[in-house]
Amino acid sequence: MAAIKWPFVALGAGAVALAAWFASSRREVGAWSGWSAIADPDAAIARAKLAGVTRLAIFVNQEPALDAAWNTYDRAMILRAVDRIKAAGIKVTLVSWMMPNPDWIAGARELGELATACGVDELELDLEWEWTATLHDATDTRIATVTAELFRNLRSTFRGRLAVDCIVGVNLRVLGPAIAAADVVIPQAYATTKNAGSLAAGDLERRAVARFKPFGKPIVLGVAGWNQEGAYKLGALDALRASLASAGELGVRSIRVWRLELLDAAESQILAAWRNKEVA
């Protein structure tokens, strides 16, 4: 009987391997949103479906002033919106700004609890100017200590992936420990007129991957969905196509667009085509 079962075992293993390969080769189009998705999840779902967006990264608070206290939007509204969006077949990441202040570091436990209650698989920290500016003159020891406490608090209440997003030219002395502690890094390779007006097509994406690849983390590329006219010396839609083509050539399978509410029908069509591998 054992000999008879072997072909079926082999077929089963082959099917599992094939499914794993297919899942790993699929592209993901994500988009950031925030209060608008929480307040009107049905509108967010409609926009996401149009653009082939399979993951919404939803901010649970506003960009803080340097002296702002830890906070999130209304918890019940967040829970209801996430449930609605997930029921529509769209994955959800919760995103929070973060400050290296004691109440924000302690608030990371609450943030992890919220992500767990929402049943999301990923929690993202936006560590831009507020985090890096506050720690700019801190010692390496201070940076390491506050970063370790932040991630310890997050992981005490959340078991999913932890992602860090940042600008491409971020101070890695300050942010390197957070990237090293995270599971995913999301460089904001926004090919806008300001960031890429004088660059060759795809150059910003190549720089981003080269800078963050040494951390050994999966890279999700942040992509601009606004102010692209003139980026790479191209029109807005061609600049978006160039960014996506570069991502594909670099082997990037997941992008995240800033932001959902800014996407028009033409941009949505281009993003959906990239996700379906109808373009490079």
Side-chain angles (χ1 to χ4, degrees), residues 55 92 94 108-124 149-163 181-184:
R55 179 180 293 275
V92 176
L94 292 194
R109 295 191 192 93
E110 179 187 334
L111 179 63
E113 290 171 353
L114 177 60
T116 298
C118 286
V120 301
D121 63 348
E122 185 178 79
L123 182 56
E124 175 188 338
E149 185 178 1
L150 168 64
F151 279 85
R152 184 166 56 249
N153 287 348
L154 289 168
R155 295 194 187 279
S156 72
T157 54
F158 180 66
R159 295 290 181 261
R161 288 191 307 273
L162 296 179
D183 303 305
V184 178

PDB file of all heavy atoms in Angstrom, residues 55 92 94 108-124 149-163 181-184:
ATOM      1  N   ARG A  55      -3.609  45.598  -1.636  1.00  0.00           N
ATOM      2  CA  ARG A  55      -3.306  45.888  -0.228  1.00  0.00           C
ATOM      3  C   ARG A  55      -3.461  47.383   0.016  1.00  0.00           C
ATOM      4  O   ARG A  55      -2.904  48.201  -0.711  1.00  0.00           O
ATOM      5  CB  ARG A  55      -1.884  45.449   0.134  1.00  0.00           C
ATOM      6  CG  ARG A  55      -1.503  45.762   1.598  1.00  0.00           C
ATOM      7  CD  ARG A  55      -0.093  45.311   1.946  1.00  0.00           C
ATOM      8  NE  ARG A  55       0.039  43.870   1.924  1.00  0.00           N
ATOM      9  CZ  ARG A  55      -0.260  43.061   2.932  1.00  0.00           C
ATOM     10  NH1 ARG A  55      -0.724  43.571   4.077  1.00  0.00           N
ATOM     11  NH2 ARG A  55      -0.098  41.767   2.828  1.00  0.00           N
ATOM     12  N   VAL A  92      -4.893  44.351   4.317  1.00  0.00           N
ATOM     13  CA  VAL A  92      -4.728  45.633   5.006  1.00  0.00           C
ATOM     14  C   VAL A  92      -3.458  45.627   5.842  1.00  0.00           C
ATOM     15  O   VAL A  92      -3.165  44.659   6.547  1.00  0.00           O
ATOM     16  CB  VAL A  92      -5.939  45.933   5.914  1.00  0.00           C
ATOM     17  CG1 VAL A  92      -5.717  47.225   6.709  1.00  0.00           C
ATOM     18  CG2 VAL A  92      -7.219  46.055   5.084  1.00  0.00           C
ATOM     19  N   LEU A  94      -1.788  48.202   8.736  1.00  0.00           N
ATOM     20  CA  LEU A  94      -1.970  49.406   9.540  1.00  0.00           C
ATOM     21  C   LEU A  94      -0.651  50.168   9.585  1.00  0.00           C
ATOM     22  O   LEU A  94       0.418  49.568   9.745  1.00  0.00           O
ATOM     23  CB  LEU A  94      -2.407  49.063  10.969  1.00  0.00           C
ATOM     24  CG  LEU A  94      -3.800  48.463  11.161  1.00  0.00           C
ATOM     25  CD1 LEU A  94      -4.184  48.504  12.637  1.00  0.00           C
ATOM     26  CD2 LEU A  94      -4.862  49.149  10.325  1.00  0.00           C
ATOM     27  N   ALA A 108       3.385  51.962  21.396  1.00  0.00           N
ATOM     28  CA  ALA A 108       3.596  50.881  20.428  1.00  0.00           C
ATOM     29  C   ALA A 108       2.885  49.607  20.862  1.00  0.00           C
ATOM     30  O   ALA A 108       2.449  48.815  20.013  1.00  0.00           O
ATOM     31  CB  ALA A 108       5.089  50.626  20.238  1.00  0.00           C
ATOM     32  N   ARG A 109       2.757  49.387  22.164  1.00  0.00           N
ATOM     33  CA  ARG A 109       2.002  48.218  22.627  1.00  0.00           C
ATOM     34  C   ARG A 109       0.544  48.332  22.207  1.00  0.00           C
ATOM     35  O   ARG A 109      -0.059  47.361  21.742  1.00  0.00           O
ATOM     36  CB  ARG A 109       2.094  48.090  24.153  1.00  0.00           C
ATOM     37  CG  ARG A 109       3.477  47.804  24.697  1.00  0.00           C
ATOM     38  CD  ARG A 109       3.406  47.435  26.179  1.00  0.00           C
ATOM     39  NE  ARG A 109       4.728  47.427  26.785  1.00  0.00           N
ATOM     40  CZ  ARG A 109       5.272  48.467  27.405  1.00  0.00           C
ATOM     41  NH1 ARG A 109       4.582  49.593  27.508  1.00  0.00           N
ATOM     42  NH2 ARG A 109       6.476  48.383  27.918  1.00  0.00           N
ATOM     43  N   GLU A 110      -0.036  49.504  22.390  1.00  0.00           N
ATOM     44  CA  GLU A 110      -1.418  49.739  21.977  1.00  0.00           C
ATOM     45  C   GLU A 110      -1.559  49.589  20.463  1.00  0.00           C
ATOM     46  O   GLU A 110      -2.555  49.039  19.972  1.00  0.00           O
ATOM     47  CB  GLU A 110      -1.851  51.142  22.399  1.00  0.00           C
ATOM     48  CG  GLU A 110      -3.283  51.499  22.003  1.00  0.00           C
ATOM     49  CD  GLU A 110      -3.616  52.946  22.299  1.00  0.00           C
ATOM     50  OE1 GLU A 110      -2.988  53.530  23.203  1.00  0.00           O
ATOM     51  OE2 GLU A 110      -4.510  53.498  21.608  1.00  0.00           O
ATOM     52  N   LEU A 111      -0.572  50.069  19.733  1.00  0.00           N
ATOM     53  CA  LEU A 111      -0.597  49.933  18.283  1.00  0.00           C
ATOM     54  C   LEU A 111      -0.592  48.471  17.873  1.00  0.00           C
ATOM     55  O   LEU A 111      -1.358  48.048  16.990  1.00  0.00           O
ATOM     56  CB  LEU A 111       0.620  50.654  17.682  1.00  0.00           C
ATOM     57  CG  LEU A 111       0.771  50.606  16.172  1.00  0.00           C
ATOM     58  CD1 LEU A 111      -0.393  51.295  15.480  1.00  0.00           C
ATOM     59  CD2 LEU A 111       2.099  51.261  15.763  1.00  0.00           C
ATOM     60  N   GLY A 112       0.246  47.677  18.515  1.00  0.00           N
ATOM     61  CA  GLY A 112       0.275  46.251  18.228  1.00  0.00           C
ATOM     62  C   GLY A 112      -1.028  45.563  18.574  1.00  0.00           C
ATOM     63  O   GLY A 112      -1.513  44.699  17.836  1.00  0.00           O
ATOM     64  N   GLU A 113      -1.630  45.964  19.685  1.00  0.00           N
ATOM     65  CA  GLU A 113      -2.931  45.403  20.072  1.00  0.00           C
ATOM     66  C   GLU A 113      -4.004  45.746  19.038  1.00  0.00           C
ATOM     67  O   GLU A 113      -4.852  44.914  18.708  1.00  0.00           O
ATOM     68  CB  GLU A 113      -3.336  45.950  21.438  1.00  0.00           C
ATOM     69  CG  GLU A 113      -2.496  45.415  22.596  1.00  0.00           C
ATOM     70  CD  GLU A 113      -2.777  46.148  23.890  1.00  0.00           C
ATOM     71  OE1 GLU A 113      -3.532  47.153  23.850  1.00  0.00           O
ATOM     72  OE2 GLU A 113      -2.233  45.744  24.938  1.00  0.00           O
ATOM     73  N   LEU A 114      -3.972  46.965  18.516  1.00  0.00           N
ATOM     74  CA  LEU A 114      -4.938  47.380  17.513  1.00  0.00           C
ATOM     75  C   LEU A 114      -4.775  46.551  16.238  1.00  0.00           C
ATOM     76  O   LEU A 114      -5.763  46.080  15.656  1.00  0.00           O
ATOM     77  CB  LEU A 114      -4.763  48.866  17.206  1.00  0.00           C
ATOM     78  CG  LEU A 114      -5.656  49.463  16.116  1.00  0.00           C
ATOM     79  CD1 LEU A 114      -7.131  49.307  16.477  1.00  0.00           C
ATOM     80  CD2 LEU A 114      -5.297  50.932  15.895  1.00  0.00           C
ATOM     81  N   ALA A 115      -3.524  46.368  15.819  1.00  0.00           N
ATOM     82  CA  ALA A 115      -3.274  45.564  14.621  1.00  0.00           C
ATOM     83  C   ALA A 115      -3.729  44.124  14.815  1.00  0.00           C
ATOM     84  O   ALA A 115      -4.305  43.510  13.909  1.00  0.00           O
ATOM     85  CB  ALA A 115      -1.789  45.610  14.259  1.00  0.00           C
ATOM     86  N   THR A 116      -3.504  43.590  15.995  1.00  0.00           N
ATOM     87  CA  THR A 116      -3.954  42.229  16.296  1.00  0.00           C
ATOM     88  C   THR A 116      -5.469  42.140  16.292  1.00  0.00           C
ATOM     89  O   THR A 116      -6.059  41.210  15.735  1.00  0.00           O
ATOM     90  CB  THR A 116      -3.395  41.776  17.659  1.00  0.00           C
ATOM     91  OG1 THR A 116      -1.955  41.755  17.586  1.00  0.00           O
ATOM     92  CG2 THR A 116      -3.892  40.388  18.025  1.00  0.00           C
ATOM     93  N   ALA A 117      -6.129  43.110  16.895  1.00  0.00           N
ATOM     94  CA  ALA A 117      -7.594  43.128  16.927  1.00  0.00           C
ATOM     95  C   ALA A 117      -8.175  43.239  15.526  1.00  0.00           C
ATOM     96  O   ALA A 117      -9.228  42.660  15.232  1.00  0.00           O
ATOM     97  CB  ALA A 117      -8.080  44.280  17.795  1.00  0.00           C
ATOM     98  N   CYS A 118      -7.486  43.956  14.646  1.00  0.00           N
ATOM     99  CA  CYS A 118      -7.944  44.108  13.261  1.00  0.00           C
ATOM    100  C   CYS A 118      -7.683  42.856  12.421  1.00  0.00           C
ATOM    101  O   CYS A 118      -8.238  42.718  11.322  1.00  0.00           O
ATOM    102  CB  CYS A 118      -7.250  45.306  12.606  1.00  0.00           C
ATOM    103  SG  CYS A 118      -7.851  46.916  13.154  1.00  0.00           S
ATOM    104  N   GLY A 119      -6.818  41.980  12.902  1.00  0.00           N
ATOM    105  CA  GLY A 119      -6.503  40.764  12.164  1.00  0.00           C
ATOM    106  C   GLY A 119      -5.687  41.023  10.918  1.00  0.00           C
ATOM    107  O   GLY A 119      -5.796  40.276   9.939  1.00  0.00           O
ATOM    108  N   VAL A 120      -4.844  42.059  10.931  1.00  0.00           N
ATOM    109  CA  VAL A 120      -3.996  42.340   9.773  1.00  0.00           C
ATOM    110  C   VAL A 120      -2.706  41.535   9.876  1.00  0.00           C
ATOM    111  O   VAL A 120      -2.319  41.082  10.957  1.00  0.00           O
ATOM    112  CB  VAL A 120      -3.685  43.847   9.652  1.00  0.00           C
ATOM    113  CG1 VAL A 120      -4.980  44.643   9.524  1.00  0.00           C
ATOM    114  CG2 VAL A 120      -2.872  44.351  10.846  1.00  0.00           C
ATOM    115  N   ASP A 121      -2.041  41.367   8.735  1.00  0.00           N
ATOM    116  CA  ASP A 121      -0.811  40.579   8.731  1.00  0.00           C
ATOM    117  C   ASP A 121       0.441  41.442   8.752  1.00  0.00           C
ATOM    118  O   ASP A 121       1.547  40.923   8.832  1.00  0.00           O
ATOM    119  CB  ASP A 121      -0.772  39.647   7.512  1.00  0.00           C
ATOM    120  CG  ASP A 121      -0.759  40.401   6.184  1.00  0.00           C
ATOM    121  OD1 ASP A 121      -1.013  41.625   6.172  1.00  0.00           O
ATOM    122  OD2 ASP A 121      -0.511  39.757   5.145  1.00  0.00           O
ATOM    123  N   GLU A 122       0.268  42.771   8.696  1.00  0.00           N
ATOM    124  CA  GLU A 122       1.438  43.650   8.628  1.00  0.00           C
ATOM    125  C   GLU A 122       1.143  44.968   9.333  1.00  0.00           C
ATOM    126  O   GLU A 122       0.056  45.528   9.231  1.00  0.00           O
ATOM    127  CB  GLU A 122       1.807  43.922   7.162  1.00  0.00           C
ATOM    128  CG  GLU A 122       3.082  44.742   6.977  1.00  0.00           C
ATOM    129  CD  GLU A 122       3.418  44.937   5.515  1.00  0.00           C
ATOM    130  OE1 GLU A 122       2.790  45.816   4.866  1.00  0.00           O
ATOM    131  OE2 GLU A 122       4.298  44.213   5.005  1.00  0.00           O
ATOM    132  N   LEU A 123       2.155  45.444  10.046  1.00  0.00           N
ATOM    133  CA  LEU A 123       2.109  46.730  10.730  1.00  0.00           C
ATOM    134  C   LEU A 123       3.308  47.533  10.251  1.00  0.00           C
ATOM    135  O   LEU A 123       4.448  47.035  10.252  1.00  0.00           O
ATOM    136  CB  LEU A 123       2.167  46.521  12.239  1.00  0.00           C
ATOM    137  CG  LEU A 123       2.081  47.728  13.165  1.00  0.00           C
ATOM    138  CD1 LEU A 123       0.830  48.542  12.899  1.00  0.00           C
ATOM    139  CD2 LEU A 123       2.108  47.255  14.618  1.00  0.00           C
ATOM    140  N   GLU A 124       3.071  48.763   9.826  1.00  0.00           N
ATOM    141  CA  GLU A 124       4.118  49.589   9.215  1.00  0.00           C
ATOM    142  C   GLU A 124       4.346  50.851  10.039  1.00  0.00           C
ATOM    143  O   GLU A 124       3.391  51.490  10.494  1.00  0.00           O
ATOM    144  CB  GLU A 124       3.696  49.953   7.785  1.00  0.00           C
ATOM    145  CG  GLU A 124       4.632  50.899   7.056  1.00  0.00           C
ATOM    146  CD  GLU A 124       4.044  51.354   5.731  1.00  0.00           C
ATOM    147  OE1 GLU A 124       3.152  50.664   5.185  1.00  0.00           O
ATOM    148  OE2 GLU A 124       4.458  52.418   5.243  1.00  0.00           O
ATOM    149  N   GLU A 149      13.545  49.150  22.279  1.00  0.00           N
ATOM    150  CA  GLU A 149      12.342  49.207  23.113  1.00  0.00           C
ATOM    151  C   GLU A 149      11.092  49.308  22.246  1.00  0.00           C
ATOM    152  O   GLU A 149      10.068  48.668  22.524  1.00  0.00           O
ATOM    153  CB  GLU A 149      12.411  50.390  24.070  1.00  0.00           C
ATOM    154  CG  GLU A 149      11.242  50.436  25.050  1.00  0.00           C
ATOM    155  CD  GLU A 149      11.334  51.587  26.034  1.00  0.00           C
ATOM    156  OE1 GLU A 149      12.299  52.382  25.952  1.00  0.00           O
ATOM    157  OE2 GLU A 149      10.422  51.695  26.881  1.00  0.00           O
ATOM    158  N   LEU A 150      11.168  50.108  21.175  1.00  0.00           N
ATOM    159  CA  LEU A 150      10.039  50.242  20.266  1.00  0.00           C
ATOM    160  C   LEU A 150       9.635  48.888  19.699  1.00  0.00           C
ATOM    161  O   LEU A 150       8.456  48.497  19.751  1.00  0.00           O
ATOM    162  CB  LEU A 150      10.401  51.201  19.127  1.00  0.00           C
ATOM    163  CG  LEU A 150       9.438  51.247  17.937  1.00  0.00           C
ATOM    164  CD1 LEU A 150       8.073  51.756  18.363  1.00  0.00           C
ATOM    165  CD2 LEU A 150      10.026  52.116  16.817  1.00  0.00           C
ATOM    166  N   PHE A 151      10.587  48.153  19.157  1.00  0.00           N
ATOM    167  CA  PHE A 151      10.266  46.878  18.523  1.00  0.00           C
ATOM    168  C   PHE A 151       9.902  45.808  19.550  1.00  0.00           C
ATOM    169  O   PHE A 151       9.075  44.938  19.260  1.00  0.00           O
ATOM    170  CB  PHE A 151      11.416  46.429  17.619  1.00  0.00           C
ATOM    171  CG  PHE A 151      11.385  47.111  16.280  1.00  0.00           C
ATOM    172  CD1 PHE A 151      11.970  48.357  16.107  1.00  0.00           C
ATOM    173  CD2 PHE A 151      10.739  46.530  15.206  1.00  0.00           C
ATOM    174  CE1 PHE A 151      11.923  49.008  14.877  1.00  0.00           C
ATOM    175  CE2 PHE A 151      10.683  47.165  13.976  1.00  0.00           C
ATOM    176  CZ  PHE A 151      11.277  48.414  13.809  1.00  0.00           C
ATOM    177  N   ARG A 152      10.481  45.876  20.729  1.00  0.00           N
ATOM    178  CA  ARG A 152      10.086  44.945  21.787  1.00  0.00           C
ATOM    179  C   ARG A 152       8.616  45.160  22.166  1.00  0.00           C
ATOM    180  O   ARG A 152       7.863  44.190  22.326  1.00  0.00           O
ATOM    181  CB  ARG A 152      10.992  45.140  23.006  1.00  0.00           C
ATOM    182  CG  ARG A 152      10.727  44.162  24.136  1.00  0.00           C
ATOM    183  CD  ARG A 152      11.866  44.182  25.155  1.00  0.00           C
ATOM    184  NE  ARG A 152      12.118  45.506  25.690  1.00  0.00           N
ATOM    185  CZ  ARG A 152      13.214  46.227  25.440  1.00  0.00           C
ATOM    186  NH1 ARG A 152      14.165  45.751  24.644  1.00  0.00           N
ATOM    187  NH2 ARG A 152      13.371  47.427  25.989  1.00  0.00           N
ATOM    188  N   ASN A 153       8.204  46.403  22.273  1.00  0.00           N
ATOM    189  CA  ASN A 153       6.803  46.703  22.605  1.00  0.00           C
ATOM    190  C   ASN A 153       5.858  46.262  21.495  1.00  0.00           C
ATOM    191  O   ASN A 153       4.777  45.708  21.753  1.00  0.00           O
ATOM    192  CB  ASN A 153       6.640  48.195  22.874  1.00  0.00           C
ATOM    193  CG  ASN A 153       7.247  48.620  24.195  1.00  0.00           C
ATOM    194  OD1 ASN A 153       7.606  47.778  25.025  1.00  0.00           O
ATOM    195  ND2 ASN A 153       7.384  49.916  24.404  1.00  0.00           N
ATOM    196  N   LEU A 154       6.246  46.509  20.244  1.00  0.00           N
ATOM    197  CA  LEU A 154       5.408  46.088  19.120  1.00  0.00           C
ATOM    198  C   LEU A 154       5.241  44.571  19.088  1.00  0.00           C
ATOM    199  O   LEU A 154       4.136  44.053  18.944  1.00  0.00           O
ATOM    200  CB  LEU A 154       6.025  46.564  17.802  1.00  0.00           C
ATOM    201  CG  LEU A 154       5.969  48.057  17.505  1.00  0.00           C
ATOM    202  CD1 LEU A 154       6.876  48.384  16.317  1.00  0.00           C
ATOM    203  CD2 LEU A 154       4.537  48.503  17.208  1.00  0.00           C
ATOM    204  N   ARG A 155       6.344  43.869  19.228  1.00  0.00           N
ATOM    205  CA  ARG A 155       6.298  42.413  19.114  1.00  0.00           C
ATOM    206  C   ARG A 155       5.666  41.754  20.339  1.00  0.00           C
ATOM    207  O   ARG A 155       5.283  40.582  20.279  1.00  0.00           O
ATOM    208  CB  ARG A 155       7.701  41.864  18.856  1.00  0.00           C
ATOM    209  CG  ARG A 155       8.279  42.297  17.502  1.00  0.00           C
ATOM    210  CD  ARG A 155       9.505  41.491  17.110  1.00  0.00           C
ATOM    211  NE  ARG A 155      10.152  42.002  15.915  1.00  0.00           N
ATOM    212  CZ  ARG A 155       9.771  41.756  14.659  1.00  0.00           C
ATOM    213  NH1 ARG A 155       8.709  41.005  14.438  1.00  0.00           N
ATOM    214  NH2 ARG A 155      10.442  42.268  13.633  1.00  0.00           N
ATOM    215  N   SER A 156       5.506  42.503  21.417  1.00  0.00           N
ATOM    216  CA  SER A 156       4.843  41.934  22.599  1.00  0.00           C
ATOM    217  C   SER A 156       3.338  41.807  22.393  1.00  0.00           C
ATOM    218  O   SER A 156       2.675  41.036  23.095  1.00  0.00           O
ATOM    219  CB  SER A 156       5.129  42.785  23.836  1.00  0.00           C
ATOM    220  OG  SER A 156       4.432  44.026  23.780  1.00  0.00           O
ATOM    221  N   THR A 157       2.785  42.557  21.420  1.00  0.00           N
ATOM    222  CA  THR A 157       1.336  42.537  21.216  1.00  0.00           C
ATOM    223  C   THR A 157       0.927  42.228  19.778  1.00  0.00           C
ATOM    224  O   THR A 157      -0.271  42.172  19.478  1.00  0.00           O
ATOM    225  CB  THR A 157       0.720  43.897  21.622  1.00  0.00           C
ATOM    226  OG1 THR A 157       1.397  44.955  20.924  1.00  0.00           O
ATOM    227  CG2 THR A 157       0.834  44.125  23.124  1.00  0.00           C
ATOM    228  N   PHE A 158       1.896  42.032  18.893  1.00  0.00           N
ATOM    229  CA  PHE A 158       1.583  41.763  17.483  1.00  0.00           C
ATOM    230  C   PHE A 158       2.559  40.732  16.947  1.00  0.00           C
ATOM    231  O   PHE A 158       3.763  40.837  17.148  1.00  0.00           O
ATOM    232  CB  PHE A 158       1.674  43.063  16.670  1.00  0.00           C
ATOM    233  CG  PHE A 158       1.372  42.888  15.203  1.00  0.00           C
ATOM    234  CD1 PHE A 158       0.095  42.528  14.780  1.00  0.00           C
ATOM    235  CD2 PHE A 158       2.362  43.081  14.250  1.00  0.00           C
ATOM    236  CE1 PHE A 158      -0.185  42.365  13.427  1.00  0.00           C
ATOM    237  CE2 PHE A 158       2.089  42.929  12.901  1.00  0.00           C
ATOM    238  CZ  PHE A 158       0.812  42.564  12.488  1.00  0.00           C
ATOM    239  N   ARG A 159       2.024  39.736  16.236  1.00  0.00           N
ATOM    240  CA  ARG A 159       2.851  38.632  15.749  1.00  0.00           C
ATOM    241  C   ARG A 159       3.067  38.653  14.231  1.00  0.00           C
ATOM    242  O   ARG A 159       3.704  37.765  13.686  1.00  0.00           O
ATOM    243  CB  ARG A 159       2.214  37.286  16.148  1.00  0.00           C
ATOM    244  CG  ARG A 159       2.166  37.053  17.640  1.00  0.00           C
ATOM    245  CD  ARG A 159       3.559  36.811  18.198  1.00  0.00           C
ATOM    246  NE  ARG A 159       3.538  36.567  19.633  1.00  0.00           N
ATOM    247  CZ  ARG A 159       3.809  37.475  20.544  1.00  0.00           C
ATOM    248  NH1 ARG A 159       4.088  38.730  20.181  1.00  0.00           N
ATOM    249  NH2 ARG A 159       3.787  37.180  21.838  1.00  0.00           N
ATOM    250  N   GLY A 160       2.548  39.660  13.548  1.00  0.00           N
ATOM    251  CA  GLY A 160       2.698  39.735  12.100  1.00  0.00           C
ATOM    252  C   GLY A 160       3.989  40.418  11.689  1.00  0.00           C
ATOM    253  O   GLY A 160       4.893  40.648  12.496  1.00  0.00           O
ATOM    254  N   ARG A 161       4.073  40.754  10.388  1.00  0.00           N
ATOM    255  CA  ARG A 161       5.255  41.426   9.852  1.00  0.00           C
ATOM    256  C   ARG A 161       5.313  42.867  10.334  1.00  0.00           C
ATOM    257  O   ARG A 161       4.300  43.557  10.411  1.00  0.00           O
ATOM    258  CB  ARG A 161       5.231  41.447   8.318  1.00  0.00           C
ATOM    259  CG  ARG A 161       5.476  40.115   7.658  1.00  0.00           C
ATOM    260  CD  ARG A 161       5.703  40.314   6.156  1.00  0.00           C
ATOM    261  NE  ARG A 161       4.620  41.081   5.547  1.00  0.00           N
ATOM    262  CZ  ARG A 161       3.497  40.548   5.085  1.00  0.00           C
ATOM    263  NH1 ARG A 161       3.298  39.247   5.190  1.00  0.00           N
ATOM    264  NH2 ARG A 161       2.570  41.316   4.521  1.00  0.00           N
ATOM    265  N   LEU A 162       6.526  43.330  10.586  1.00  0.00           N
ATOM    266  CA  LEU A 162       6.762  44.732  10.921  1.00  0.00           C
ATOM    267  C   LEU A 162       7.565  45.369   9.793  1.00  0.00           C
ATOM    268  O   LEU A 162       8.628  44.861   9.413  1.00  0.00           O
ATOM    269  CB  LEU A 162       7.512  44.861  12.237  1.00  0.00           C
ATOM    270  CG  LEU A 162       6.779  44.347  13.486  1.00  0.00           C
ATOM    271  CD1 LEU A 162       7.660  44.524  14.718  1.00  0.00           C
ATOM    272  CD2 LEU A 162       5.448  45.063  13.672  1.00  0.00           C
ATOM    273  N   ALA A 163       7.046  46.461   9.251  1.00  0.00           N
ATOM    274  CA  ALA A 163       7.694  47.149   8.142  1.00  0.00           C
ATOM    275  C   ALA A 163       8.090  48.556   8.575  1.00  0.00           C
ATOM    276  O   ALA A 163       7.461  49.160   9.455  1.00  0.00           O
ATOM    277  CB  ALA A 163       6.757  47.216   6.937  1.00  0.00           C
ATOM    278  N   ALA A 181      15.834  45.783  12.604  1.00  0.00           N
ATOM    279  CA  ALA A 181      14.880  45.124  13.495  1.00  0.00           C
ATOM    280  C   ALA A 181      13.577  44.759  12.796  1.00  0.00           C
ATOM    281  O   ALA A 181      12.828  43.913  13.286  1.00  0.00           O
ATOM    282  CB  ALA A 181      14.578  46.024  14.698  1.00  0.00           C
ATOM    283  N   ALA A 182      13.289  45.403  11.664  1.00  0.00           N
ATOM    284  CA  ALA A 182      12.043  45.181  10.949  1.00  0.00           C
ATOM    285  C   ALA A 182      12.127  43.929  10.077  1.00  0.00           C
ATOM    286  O   ALA A 182      13.200  43.366   9.850  1.00  0.00           O
ATOM    287  CB  ALA A 182      11.705  46.403  10.095  1.00  0.00           C
ATOM    288  N   ASP A 183      10.969  43.532   9.551  1.00  0.00           N
ATOM    289  CA  ASP A 183      10.906  42.402   8.628  1.00  0.00           C
ATOM    290  C   ASP A 183      10.918  42.851   7.176  1.00  0.00           C
ATOM    291  O   ASP A 183      11.285  42.072   6.294  1.00  0.00           O
ATOM    292  CB  ASP A 183       9.628  41.587   8.884  1.00  0.00           C
ATOM    293  CG  ASP A 183       9.539  41.103  10.320  1.00  0.00           C
ATOM    294  OD1 ASP A 183      10.499  40.442  10.767  1.00  0.00           O
ATOM    295  OD2 ASP A 183       8.533  41.390  10.990  1.00  0.00           O
ATOM    296  N   VAL A 184      10.497  44.084   6.921  1.00  0.00           N
ATOM    297  CA  VAL A 184      10.350  44.620   5.566  1.00  0.00           C
ATOM    298  C   VAL A 184      10.788  46.076   5.582  1.00  0.00           C
ATOM    299  O   VAL A 184      10.552  46.789   6.569  1.00  0.00           O
ATOM    300  CB  VAL A 184       8.874  44.543   5.099  1.00  0.00           C
ATOM    301  CG1 VAL A 184       8.707  45.149   3.702  1.00  0.00           C
ATOM    302  CG2 VAL A 184       8.363  43.116   5.126  1.00  0.00           C
TER     303      VAL A 184
END
